Amino acid sequence: MRTFDLVIIGTGSANSIVNERFADWNVAFVEAGKFGGTCLNMGCIPTKMFVHTAEVAYTPSEAARLGVDETFNAVDWPAVRDRIFGRIDPIEAGGREWRATNSPNQTVFAGEGRFTGPKQLTVTVDSVEETITAPKFVIAAGGRPQLLEVEGLAELPGVYTSDTVMRIDELPSRMVIVGAGFIAAEFAHVFSSFGVEVTVLCRSEAMLRAQDDDVSARFTELAQERWDVRLNTQISKAEQIDDGIRLHTTSGAIDTELVLVAIGRVPNTDRLNPEATGVELHPDGRIKVDEHQRTNVEGIFALGDISSDYQLKHVANHEARVVHHNLLHPDSPKASDHRFVPEAVFTHPQVAKVGLTEREARERGINFITATQDYADIAYGWAMEDTTGFLKLLADPDTGQLLGAHIIGPQASTLIQPLIQAMSFGLPARKMATDQYWIHPAMPELVENALLKLDLPH
Ligand code: NAP
């Protein structure tokens, strides 16, 4: 059995752990899928490249209210797709090649790994099995799309997930998206901007339900104006028809060419079998870790989607930095900081949040005040003729500290950043509003005005 100093399972965020500080370590990298993980290959990066393209394609729809007469003609799908993956795929290949050749101390196993005993991982590369061991492991093998268990669906061609839908051969004329979360909201924007007729099947009464209720309600209202959004709808059966797929749903039969299933993601622990090395799991299959990203087995760390409460690349990267430190300094370990984890949904309009929603604050019995600022009432909002966007803040009336921020509207993912900073560094809301300049008439005036609206004594 080959022995390494460290085995890294999954080459998304965990790939960055091993730098020159590990030059003397004999490290194995095990990667069953694409090098670089979900974010690079089928997540954040290609989707945002599609989203930006969608924003360009969507401009004519917004131009008329500004008095500009623009028309959308068509999208050259193969050109868009190949431009994006023509950039992504070489990065993936380059990353793999670099790891394989960079150092004699580093070995890449391009195959599936499965724990078969205490600190023993059996890797299968080109049908050849080899068992490797090490005193230290980092498990960062991520997750994959949850599949939808509906009679007939799995056997049908034309059913995709976020792993596969970005590489389709041609655009369909219509598609159904099952789910109403991040992925559904982003791809509905992308494909409808490209001219596809989109139907969204939402099993509950609102899209983006994990957002603050006001944001979720506003987004659902806007989505219903743009897409055929079927609320409180579930699929009971799917079947092949002459020109596509028929979905039998609680809102009637829907015929479509393509189905995108976007109903959440599951951790890859079932494939990895960490129980064989004694690692404990949560009931939902994620690996249990402490604040230092340590599992219950000495020397085994986990990070990212396979263990985290957050399926977000910036969280996985943070956790990877913590593991990097803790591998090198086991006697003075760092803890992960999950206090103010922000997120953004790159749909249209954009949505971003940090901290507590109003519902969460109520459920936790936290005393709070709120203030809401519409884009329509700031100068740049006038320039954009925005009538639907807003920023909602929650603050502690006693300390003046921000508790949460929720934005729906243009550049939400950027506008949220000073609020993340204020919360992370404990900057009181009133001080933040008054003790610095805010560029007039720039979009951050949305933040300034919302802060000033909070009814705080100081
Ligand atoms: P998601 O955001 O958790 O949303 C899942 C959606 O599927 C919800 O609308 C949920 O409905 C619905 N759903 C769940 N089970 C269902 C079922 N059996 N039948 C029908 N609908 C069902 O999940 P996602 O969109 O798949 O994204 C996965 C994760 O990837 C996200 O949570 C996020 O962390 C990450 N992600 C991040 C970004 C970003 O950072 N911009 C982009 C994409 C993905 P309910 O509301 O009723 O529960």
Side-chain angles (χ1 to χ4, degrees), residues 48 148 178-184 186 201 203-204 206 208-209 234 262-265 310-312 314 344-346:
K48 264 73 272 177
L148 185 62
V178 189
F182 275 76
I183 292 176
E186 292 187 355
L201 302 188
R203 72 170 173 185
S204 30
L208 297 182
R209 265 195 333 133
Q234 301 249 40
I263 59 165
R265 295 174 62 84
Y310 307 92
Q311 296 177 343
L312 296 166
H314 41 274
V345 192
F346 294 82

Side-chain angles (χ1 to χ4, degrees), residues 55-211:
E55 291 289 305
V56 174
Y58 192 59
T59 16
S61 317
E62 310 238 286
R65 70 166 189 265
L66 304 176
V68 178
D69 183 11
E70 278 183 21
T71 43
F72 168 75
N73 297 326
V75 155
D76 180 349
W77 169 259
V80 171
R81 181 199 57 203
D82 296 348
R83 175 182 62 80
I84 292 170
F85 288 108
R87 190 147 179 198
I88 300 286
D89 292 345
I91 296 172
E92 190 268 351
R96 181 187 300 274
E97 173 70 14
W98 186 79
R99 267 297 171 216
T101 56
N102 162 49
S103 154
N105 275 352
Q106 294 172 9
T107 307
V108 174
F109 292 89
E112 184 97 9
R114 192 167 168 81
F115 281 102
T116 45
K119 294 196 175 169
Q120 290 174 21
L121 188 79
T122 300
V123 287
T124 309
V125 181
D126 297 333
S127 309
V128 178
E129 281 191 357
E130 179 178 354
T131 299
I132 60 176
T133 186
K136 299 203 186 297
F137 280 75
V138 175
I139 306 178
R144 61 184 187 277
Q146 164 91 55
L147 301 178
L148 185 62
E149 297 199 1
V150 160
E151 185 190 335
L153 194 71
E155 302 85 60
L156 295 179
V159 179
Y160 293 84
T161 66
S162 54
D163 279 1
T164 50
V165 76
M166 287 180 273
R167 294 189 189 248
I168 52 177
D169 291 335
E170 54 187 44
L171 281 182
S173 59
R174 57 208 162 134
M175 74 190 293
V176 167
I177 303 181
V178 189
F182 275 76
I183 292 176
E186 292 187 355
F187 279 118
H189 173 47
V190 167
F191 284 106
S192 64
S193 297
F194 290 174
V196 179
E197 210 178 284
V198 171
T199 301
V200 177
L201 302 188
C202 177
R203 72 170 173 185
S204 30
E205 67 294 339
M207 293 188 71
L208 297 182
R209 265 195 333 133
Q211 300 298 320

Side-chain angles (χ1 to χ4, degrees), residues 13-339:
S13 295
N15 186 38
S16 61
I17 290 173
V18 178
N19 61 7
E20 62 287 350
R21 306 280 307 271
F22 287 80
D24 299 338
W25 293 48
N26 194 7
V27 184
F29 294 84
V30 180
E31 177 55 69
K34 295 205 173 234
F35 212 82
T38 301
C39 167
L40 173 66
N41 292 289
M42 56 269 289
C44 328
I45 295 178
T47 55
K48 264 73 272 177
M49 293 170 86
F50 280 103
V51 165
H52 180 73
T53 310
E55 291 289 305
V56 174
Y58 192 59
T59 16
S61 317
E62 310 238 286
R65 70 166 189 265
L66 304 176
V68 178
D69 183 11
E70 278 183 21
T71 43
F72 168 75
N73 297 326
V75 155
D76 180 349
W77 169 259
V80 171
R81 181 199 57 203
D82 296 348
R83 175 182 62 80
I84 292 170
F85 288 108
R87 190 147 179 198
I88 300 286
D89 292 345
I91 296 172
E92 190 268 351
R96 181 187 300 274
E97 173 70 14
W98 186 79
R99 267 297 171 216
T101 56
N102 162 49
S103 154
N105 275 352
Q106 294 172 9
T107 307
V108 174
F109 292 89
E112 184 97 9
R114 192 167 168 81
F115 281 102
T116 45
K119 294 196 175 169
Q120 290 174 21
L121 188 79
T122 300
V123 287
T124 309
V125 181
D126 297 333
S127 309
V128 178
E129 281 191 357
E130 179 178 354
T131 299
I132 60 176
T133 186
K136 299 203 186 297
F137 280 75
V138 175
I139 306 178
R144 61 184 187 277
Q146 164 91 55
L147 301 178
L148 185 62
E149 297 199 1
V150 160
E151 185 190 335
L153 194 71
E155 302 85 60
L156 295 179
V159 179
Y160 293 84
T161 66
S162 54
D163 279 1
T164 50
V165 76
M166 287 180 273
R167 294 189 189 248
I168 52 177
D169 291 335
E170 54 187 44
L171 281 182
S173 59
R174 57 208 162 134
M175 74 190 293
V176 167
I177 303 181
V178 189
F182 275 76
I183 292 176
E186 292 187 355
F187 279 118
H189 173 47
V190 167
F191 284 106
S192 64
S193 297
F194 290 174
V196 179
E197 210 178 284
V198 171
T199 301
V200 177
L201 302 188
C202 177
R203 72 170 173 185
S204 30
E205 67 294 339
M207 293 188 71
L208 297 182
R209 265 195 333 133
Q211 300 298 320
D212 187 85
D213 290 345
D214 291 341
V215 170
S216 166
R218 176 63 51 87
F219 185 78
T220 306
E221 200 180 296
L222 296 172
Q224 284 175 309
E225 288 169 12
R226 191 169 167 203
W227 311 309
D228 177 6
V229 180
R230 311 274 180 106
L231 300 178
N232 303 305
T233 300
Q234 301 249 40
I235 309 176
S236 53
K237 191 176 144 194
E239 62 179 322
Q240 180 104 50
I241 53 172
D242 279 350
D243 55 351
I245 296 169
R246 175 162 299 160
L247 299 174
H248 297 270
T249 80
T250 47
S251 308
I254 303 170
D255 293 349
T256 187
E257 284 170 39
L258 185 153
V259 176
L260 170 62
V261 176
I263 59 165
R265 295 174 62 84
V266 289
N268 280 328
T269 37
D270 53 343
R271 291 165 58 185
L272 193 61
N273 194 31
E275 298 95 319
T277 189
V279 165
E280 287 174 7
L281 307 183
H282 291 285
D284 63 7
R286 282 175 305 122
I287 291 174
K288 282 189 188 172
V289 288
D290 66 9
E291 71 274 29
H292 305 295
Q293 301 300 135
R294 298 179 298 209
T295 70
N296 60 306
V297 178
E298 193 278 320
I300 302 188
F301 297 80
L303 66 94
D305 289 2
I306 203 157
S307 57
S308 188
D309 288 343
Y310 307 92
Q311 296 177 343
L312 296 166
K313 176 67 170 169
H314 41 274
V315 177
N317 284 347
H318 170 79
E319 293 175 355
R321 288 192 289 271
V322 169
V323 172
H324 170 93
H325 174 94
N326 294 348
L327 282 165
L328 294 169
H329 308 283
D331 297 331
S332 53
K334 272 190 184 166
S336 287
D337 181 354
H338 293 130
R339 288 171 307 148

